[in-house]
Amino acid sequence: MTIASSTPPAPRRLDPEDAQLALRQVQDLLRRQQLVSELAHRQYAENDRAGLMENLLHRQHDAEIKLLVDQLHPADIAFILESLPKDERQIIWSLVDHSHDADVLLEVDDWVRESLIEAMDRQDLVAATSDMDADELADIAPDLPPDVVAEVQKGLTDEERARLLTAMGYPEDSVGAIMDFEMVRVREDVTLEVVLRYLRRLGELPDHTDQIFVVDRQDRLQGTLPLTRLLVSEPETDVRDVMSPDFLALSPTDSDADAAGAFERYDLVSAPVTDEQGRLIGRVTIADVVDVIREDSDEQALSRAGMQEEDIFAPMRAAMRNRAPWLLLNLCTAAIASIVASRFEDTVSHIVILAFLMSIVAGIGGNSGNQTMTMIIRALAVGRVTPDNVWRLIKKELSVTLLVGLCGSLVAGGFAWFISGEISIALVMMGAMVCNMLVGAGVGVLVPMVRARFGKDPALGSSVLLTFATDSLGFFIFLGLATIFLV
Amino acid sequence: MTIASSTPPAPRRLDPEDAQLALRQVQDLLRRQQLVSELAHRQYAENDRAGLMENLLHRQHDAEIKLLVDQLHPADIAFILESLPKDERQIIWSLVDHSHDADVLLEVDDWVRESLIEAMDRQDLVAATSDMDADELADIAPDLPPDVVAEVQKGLTDEERARLLTAMGYPEDSVGAIMDFEMVRVREDVTLEVVLRYLRRLGELPDHTDQIFVVDRQDRLQGTLPLTRLLVSEPETDVRDVMSPDFLALSPTDSDADAAGAFERYDLVSAPVTDEQGRLIGRVTIADVVDVIREDSDEQALSRAGMQEEDIFAPMRAAMRNRAPWLLLNLCTAAIASIVASRFEDTVSHIVILAFLMSIVAGIGGNSGNQTMTMIIRALAVGRVTPDNVWRLIKKELSVTLLVGLCGSLVAGGFAWFISGEISIALVMMGAMVCNMLVGAGVGVLVPMVRARFGKDPALGSSVLLTFATDSLGFFIFLGLATIFLV
């Protein structure tokens, strides 16, 4: 955020386009730079003064970009870096003031951080990382060259080094991986007056401090003292008398998604993390939780299309590696479905119109099954499916599908009649469509449930199986019925 | 959350299954109740004592459920109500202590709230809603019977009534709809000592108060005073000297998604809302923002399958109304695609095997286009697409698709050769597949961009258009090439 001038400031309006505007300006400047270089090279290749001129303009552009970028919030700088192709990203990154290095490195997405670190020399890296907290360092350590990590470690206190090792030891999707170690702890037998004096001595409180943690001599968490309660209570009161002895403590091995659920449900801003003995070892804040929620939702959207997080300007090879496996998998299932269908070559050669109707049957089964599956995956995700209501759910999904299928099959049958002129084909079409929609509903209910039952992510891979089933069985049912009744 | 006993409490562990466990217990008790009723009715239909017995057991079960439910957090009660079919939901709702009514009504999803309100009598409704803040009341007012709203309004002060009208006037997805009016404001020319005394006099601060707002006599926002800074500064200091004159102010007409983006980017806990004159009119907190983020992500997942938020136990009619339009739409596009294909009836009747290969070509084009579209929609959503990089993006997507398509077509061609025994069919298959994947990539890039250009949600409806294009054109290209080269 920009620093306001000394005149009474007007409130800064939220402008979601702020960052995008800056991005466009940066792109504009980069483009002008390119143009100047090209002109200089083309027209005055031999001319020293053209070189000088180019150099001058180049420096001017750099200065403009630097001015623009340096007044941005690190989160906005990160956004711009993420939105540029690698070569331009490196140019901008080299212009970012070193004082922002650490914040930007922490803000950018993983796939960008790598390229930024690549472009920094050892000294800058050490400088940027040596002021980081243990939990921040743990986040980016995997991307750092080992010698930099070693160098930075030397500058840490024993306590910080221990924290770094702890933080690096937790798996990626655990509470341990998102917790930080910056928090204020007090004893329960002091007065609020003492706490207030202590806070003033600290001079600064960690970000997102909405509560102080009350611990005993063994560092076991006894309660929490919200700042709002600290502020409204009389200073003579003992901490013990105003703290909440009832609090929710996370374990470092809890999943981050569960923690996010708790934050969402109970509207938390921060939550303590304790070990098995109840000792306070860290804290999770809403800022990390919001990131978890956003990343999970992004991941789901991508994995549904068979992809992982990808730089929009990723090099060809990376993009291909990301996308090809999914397409190959779908190619294989489609091939198997077409083998199933080809068993009915005789039937189709008799009544060619079946060839054009069979993909409708397969497609609608897939669409309908996808609706059921989306419902079930969401119900599973929020924990709404219990042994008690499973049957009720399955029955409901099958009945809804049956009813929708019956209505839809009238339309489809009408179409089949229109295109083929034969009522018998229309009847086969209707029967096959209803059956295949039931197949879709069955697979849509069962696959996610079975996957969840065995502790797997119910969403992943379910859609491939669904399409496979509705395609293969759709062809089989439709052409099978046709073989029986029409040939 | 449960109230801890007076012995030193062990920290309560996060247990995401807590609510689910309670749900299962409730279901269990409901089931036992049902069983008892059935037994009593079946076996002793004529017997008065059986009726008495049933009554007794019934009351005992009710008491057990009540005991269980009353110790839950309102958010957990809401979860249980959302997870039960309507009839059982009403039973539990009637057992929930009235002191929880207001909180639960505010916590539950819209589609459940309606049925809960239906089940309450006028008096309970007035009691539950009369203690709500204006912004809370505005949230649920649309679901309330008009006479209840009128009754509750009478009990409001003029200021609260004005707020209620204001809050109800903003559209659903705006900052105005999620802001609240509970906040602490101070003048800049007082000392922190005065502020601290003022807070103590208030006795309680609104939830999620992480900062106090500094306003002038006209209520224009001058700055913000974070509680953490208030706590660490010397009491003699003036507010003016410690407040942040640089802050981000939302406008009530900003979109809630943009506000969520700002909270996420700048790690905010609360943000002031000001009118055009810079006067402070409300506040948005992270709790509302987290709900916005979650709801948006849920909505996206559902709309991709052509659905809206639906009760998992919604009555048949509601479920059908929710799902049928999407299936009908897909049925129509599939029918059109099959009409396109049926133009080539002669070709297919000559070479029947084409009928089984054409759906592979169509399917892979759709899958590949879906990957491209997912990338583009995400890039658009975060604002990464600018006029400057559009061409670069399109070129990249087409190149990646071309390369992946060439590799994939080798596999597909090999399969076609294997199944048909003819190399010419394999070559047609390869050509058609690459072309159709390029169609998919083109549609995947253009449709979301054009929709975004015209201010529409780029995600909505894009997938129907994509499938339509890759199906119809896939059939057309494949059968067209086959007609030219094979017949």
Side-chain angles (χ1 to χ4, degrees):
Chain A
M1 282 173 245
T2 53
I3 302 300
S5 61
S6 56
T7 53
R12 202 157 71 80
R13 278 283 171 205
L14 165 71
D15 189 352
E17 310 240 307
D18 256 5
Q20 233 218 351
L21 207 73
L23 171 60
R24 287 189 195 193
Q25 287 172 320
V26 167
Q27 284 174 331
D28 204 46
L29 287 163
L30 284 167
R31 217 53 66 235
R32 263 155 56 191
Q33 192 128 302
Q34 235 171 36
L35 222 68
V36 169
S37 300
E38 275 169 27
L39 274 179
H41 280 284
R42 247 187 250 159
Q43 304 197 342
Y44 319 91
E46 307 292 310
N47 192 329
D48 265 4
R49 271 175 61 202
L52 254 166
M53 187 72 182
E54 189 211 339
N55 209 330
L56 214 72
L57 277 170
H58 193 105
R59 265 193 245 157
Q60 194 195 324
H61 285 148
D62 278 0
E64 269 183 72
I65 294 178
K66 200 169 161 48
L67 204 70
L68 182 71
V69 169
D70 277 347
Q71 63 173 354
L72 294 174
H73 189 279
D76 294 327
I77 301 180
F79 167 77
I80 289 181
L81 293 171
E82 287 162 2
S83 306
L84 293 173
K86 195 174 169 185
D87 47 340
E88 300 185 352
R89 183 189 305 149
Q90 307 301 50
I91 295 177
I92 305 299
W93 181 229
S94 68
L95 296 175
V96 171
D97 196 90
H98 286 317
S99 64
H100 287 322
D101 280 1
D103 290 331
V104 174
L105 279 179
L106 290 169
E107 287 281 353
V108 290
D109 283 343
D110 291 348
W111 43 269
V112 171
R113 189 180 297 132
E114 230 172 288
S115 68
L116 299 187
I117 288 177
E118 230 171 70
M120 292 172 78
D121 61 26
R122 201 169 162 287
Q123 203 183 332
D124 287 345
L125 265 179
V126 172
T129 49
S130 56
D131 283 339
M132 287 184 183
D133 292 331
D135 64 297
E136 296 171 340
L137 204 51
D139 282 347
I140 75 159
D143 295 330
L144 290 174
D147 61 320
V148 171
V149 178
E151 176 79 24
V152 174
Q153 266 207 52
K154 274 190 223 153
L156 297 179
T157 64
D158 285 348
E159 192 189 6
E160 284 171 329
R161 204 170 303 134
R163 286 174 174 175
L164 177 61
L165 284 174
T166 315
M168 287 177 67
Y170 291 111
E172 208 185 326
D173 294 330
S174 69
V175 163
I178 56 169
M179 73 178 178
D180 64 53
F181 304 100
E182 313 305 311
M183 53 205 164
V184 181
R185 44 186 103 197
V186 297
R187 290 280 161 71
E188 60 178 330
D189 53 2
V190 297
T191 62
L192 297 187
E193 176 74 53
V194 173
V195 173
L196 288 170
R197 267 210 310 270
Y198 172 61
L199 295 182
R200 254 171 238 146
R201 248 198 346 261
L202 284 178
E204 198 184 355
L205 301 186
D207 285 343
H208 294 99
T209 298
D210 68 321
Q211 54 184 356
I212 292 172
F213 299 112
V214 185
V215 293
D216 67 8
R217 283 177 190 283
Q218 279 79 45
D219 223 15
R220 280 193 305 247
L221 191 57
Q222 302 297 305
T224 62
L225 176 57
L227 295 192
T228 49
R229 204 172 310 159
L230 170 61
L231 280 166
V232 300
S233 304
E234 290 305 322
E236 303 79 49
T237 333
D238 272 355
V239 166
R240 180 189 296 122
D241 299 327
V242 287
M243 74 179 190
S244 309
D246 169 41
F247 50 83
L248 183 113
L250 304 173
S251 151
T253 53
D254 285 337
S255 97
D256 58 1
D258 287 342
F263 269 73
E264 210 183 324
R265 204 173 271 185
Y266 305 124
D267 293 341
L268 307 176
V269 171
S270 72
V273 182
T274 58
D275 65 12
E276 275 144 31
Q277 280 78 47
R279 281 184 304 232
L280 182 65
I281 53 174
R283 178 187 74 139
V284 171
T285 66
I286 185 75
D288 297 311
V289 166
V290 168
D291 290 343
V292 167
I293 295 177
R294 181 68 78 179
E295 275 163 26
D296 279 359
S297 122
D298 280 354
E299 233 170 66
Q300 268 174 37
L302 285 170
S303 77
R304 214 171 281 122
M307 290 194 286
Q308 295 181 317
E309 182 75 61
E310 178 186 311
D311 182 349
I312 53 166
F313 294 108
M316 288 299 161
R317 214 145 30 105
M320 284 180 65
R321 224 181 306 125
N322 192 1
R323 305 193 195 177
W326 177 256
L327 294 178
L328 204 67
L329 183 63
N330 276 286
L331 193 55
C332 292
T333 62
I336 296 175
S338 83
I339 290 179
V340 169
S342 70
R343 300 289 89 198
F344 298 93
E345 196 169 342
D346 279 354
T347 309
V348 176
S349 67
H350 276 107
I351 314 169
V352 178
I353 202 78
L354 296 179
F356 313 117
L357 295 175
M358 68 185 203
S359 57
I360 300 182
V361 174
I364 283 298
N367 281 320
S368 166
N370 189 32
Q371 292 192 330
T372 298
M373 204 164 74
T374 303
M375 281 289 290
I376 299 293
I377 287 177
R378 288 199 57 230
L380 281 168
V382 289
R384 240 165 234 156
V385 180
T386 63
D388 183 83
N389 62 17
V390 161
W391 283 111
R392 206 153 169 167
L393 250 180
I394 295 181
K395 254 192 290 178
K396 188 215 150 185
E397 285 303 322
L398 289 179
S399 329
V400 171
T401 305
L402 186 64
L403 284 178
V404 176
L406 286 173
C407 301
S409 73
L410 289 177
V411 180
F415 174 74
W417 193 10
F418 158 77
I419 204 172
S420 70
E422 288 194 44
I423 192 102
S424 56
I425 292 183
L427 290 174
V428 165
M429 176 91 185
M430 289 170 73
M433 199 172 121
V434 173
C435 290
N436 199 35
M437 282 175 75
L438 290 177
V439 166
V443 173
V445 169
L446 289 178
V447 170
M449 279 194 182
V450 170
R451 283 191 67 91
R453 181 85 194 209
F454 289 101
K456 313 252 178 175
D457 178 354
L460 211 74
S462 292
S463 77
V464 184
L465 264 173
L466 175 69
T467 315
F468 181 46
T470 50
D471 275 5
S472 304
L473 289 175
F475 292 158
F476 180 78
I477 294 169
F478 180 57
L479 297 178
L481 287 177
T483 308
I484 296 170
F485 293 108
L486 302 180
V487 182
Chain B
M1 282 173 243
T2 54
I3 303 299
S5 62
S6 59
T7 55
R12 201 158 69 81
R13 279 282 172 207
L14 165 71
D15 192 351
E17 311 241 306
D18 255 4
Q20 233 217 351
L21 205 74
L23 171 61
R24 288 188 196 195
Q25 286 172 321
V26 168
Q27 284 174 331
D28 204 46
L29 286 163
L30 284 167
R31 219 52 66 234
R32 266 156 54 193
Q33 192 128 304
Q34 233 170 37
L35 221 68
V36 169
S37 300
E38 276 169 26
L39 274 179
H41 281 283
R42 247 186 250 158
Q43 304 195 342
Y44 318 91
E46 309 291 311
N47 192 331
D48 265 3
R49 270 176 60 203
L52 254 168
M53 185 74 181
E54 190 213 337
N55 210 330
L56 213 73
L57 276 170
H58 194 105
R59 264 193 247 156
Q60 193 193 325
H61 284 150
D62 278 359
E64 269 185 71
I65 293 179
K66 202 171 159 48
L67 204 69
L68 183 71
V69 168
D70 276 347
Q71 63 174 349
L72 294 174
H73 188 278
D76 293 326
I77 302 180
F79 167 78
I80 289 180
L81 293 171
E82 287 161 1
S83 305
L84 293 173
K86 195 172 170 187
D87 48 339
E88 300 186 351
R89 182 188 307 150
Q90 308 301 50
I91 296 177
I92 304 300
W93 181 229
S94 67
L95 296 173
V96 171
D97 196 89
H98 286 317
S99 63
H100 287 321
D101 279 2
D103 290 331
V104 173
L105 280 179
L106 290 170
E107 287 280 353
V108 290
D109 284 342
D110 292 347
W111 42 270
V112 172
R113 187 178 301 131
E114 229 171 291
S115 68
L116 299 186
I117 288 178
E118 229 171 70
M120 292 171 77
D121 60 27
R122 200 169 162 286
Q123 202 183 334
D124 286 346
L125 264 179
V126 172
T129 49
S130 56
D131 283 340
M132 286 185 184
D133 291 332
D135 64 297
E136 295 171 339
L137 203 52
D139 283 346
I140 74 160
D143 295 330
L144 290 174
D147 62 320
V148 170
V149 178
E151 174 79 25
V152 173
Q153 267 207 51
K154 274 191 223 153
L156 297 179
T157 64
D158 285 347
E159 191 187 7
E160 285 170 329
R161 203 169 306 134
R163 285 175 176 173
L164 176 61
L165 283 175
T166 313
M168 288 178 66
Y170 292 111
E172 209 186 327
D173 294 330
S174 68
V175 162
I178 57 169
M179 73 178 178
D180 64 53
F181 303 100
E182 312 304 309
M183 53 204 166
V184 182
R185 45 186 102 195
V186 296
R187 290 280 160 74
E188 60 179 329
D189 53 2
V190 297
T191 62
L192 299 187
E193 177 73 53
V194 173
V195 173
L196 288 169
R197 267 210 310 270
Y198 172 61
L199 295 182
R200 253 172 238 144
R201 240 188 4 249
L202 283 179
E204 198 183 355
L205 302 186
D207 285 345
H208 295 100
T209 297
D210 69 320
Q211 54 184 354
I212 292 172
F213 300 113
V214 184
V215 293
D216 66 10
R217 281 174 192 281
Q218 279 79 43
D219 224 16
R220 280 192 306 246
L221 191 57
Q222 302 296 306
T224 62
L225 176 57
L227 294 192
T228 49
R229 203 172 309 158
L230 170 62
L231 280 165
V232 298
S233 305
E234 290 305 324
E236 302 81 47
T237 333
D238 273 354
V239 166
R240 179 188 297 121
D241 299 327
V242 287
M243 74 178 191
S244 309
D246 170 42
F247 50 83
L248 183 112
L250 304 173
S251 152
T253 54
D254 284 336
S255 97
D256 59 0
D258 288 341
F263 270 73
E264 210 183 324
R265 203 173 269 186
Y266 306 124
D267 293 341
L268 308 176
V269 172
S270 73
V273 182
T274 58
D275 65 12
E276 274 144 32
Q277 280 78 46
R279 282 185 304 232
L280 182 66
I281 53 175
R283 179 187 73 138
V284 171
T285 67
I286 185 74
D288 297 311
V289 166
V290 168
D291 290 344
V292 167
I293 295 177
R294 180 69 78 181
E295 275 164 26
D296 279 358
S297 121
D298 280 356
E299 233 170 65
Q300 268 174 36
L302 286 170
S303 76
R304 214 172 280 123
M307 289 194 288
Q308 295 181 316
E309 183 75 61
E310 176 185 313
D311 183 350
I312 54 168
F313 294 108
M316 290 298 162
R317 212 142 35 102
M320 284 179 64
R321 224 179 308 126
N322 193 1
R323 304 194 197 177
W326 177 255
L327 294 178
L328 205 66
L329 184 62
N330 276 284
L331 193 56
C332 292
T333 63
I336 296 175
S338 84
I339 290 180
V340 170
S342 69
R343 301 289 89 197
F344 298 93
E345 196 169 342
D346 281 352
T347 310
V348 176
S349 67
H350 276 108
I351 315 168
V352 178
I353 202 77
L354 295 178
F356 311 118
L357 295 175
M358 68 184 204
S359 58
I360 300 183
V361 174
I364 283 297
N367 281 318
S368 166
N370 190 30
Q371 291 193 330
T372 297
M373 205 163 72
T374 304
M375 281 289 291
I376 299 292
I377 287 177
R378 289 199 57 233
L380 281 169
V382 290
R384 244 169 229 151
V385 180
T386 63
D388 184 82
N389 62 19
V390 161
W391 283 110
R392 207 152 169 166
L393 250 179
I394 295 181
K395 255 193 288 176
K396 189 215 150 186
E397 284 303 321
L398 289 179
S399 329
V400 171
T401 305
L402 185 65
L403 284 177
V404 175
L406 286 173
C407 300
S409 74
L410 289 176
V411 180
F415 174 75
W417 192 9
F418 158 77
I419 204 172
S420 69
E422 287 195 44
I423 192 103
S424 56
I425 292 184
L427 288 174
V428 165
M429 175 89 182
M430 289 170 72
M433 199 172 122
V434 172
C435 290
N436 198 34
M437 284 174 75
L438 289 176
V439 167
V443 174
V445 170
L446 288 180
V447 171
M449 280 194 182
V450 170
R451 282 189 67 88
R453 182 85 194 208
F454 289 100
K456 313 251 178 176
D457 178 354
L460 211 76
S462 293
S463 78
V464 184
L465 263 174
L466 175 69
T467 315
F468 181 46
T470 51
D471 275 7
S472 304
L473 288 175
F475 292 158
F476 181 77
I477 294 169
F478 180 57
L479 297 179
L481 288 177
T483 307
I484 296 171
F485 293 109
L486 302 180
V487 182

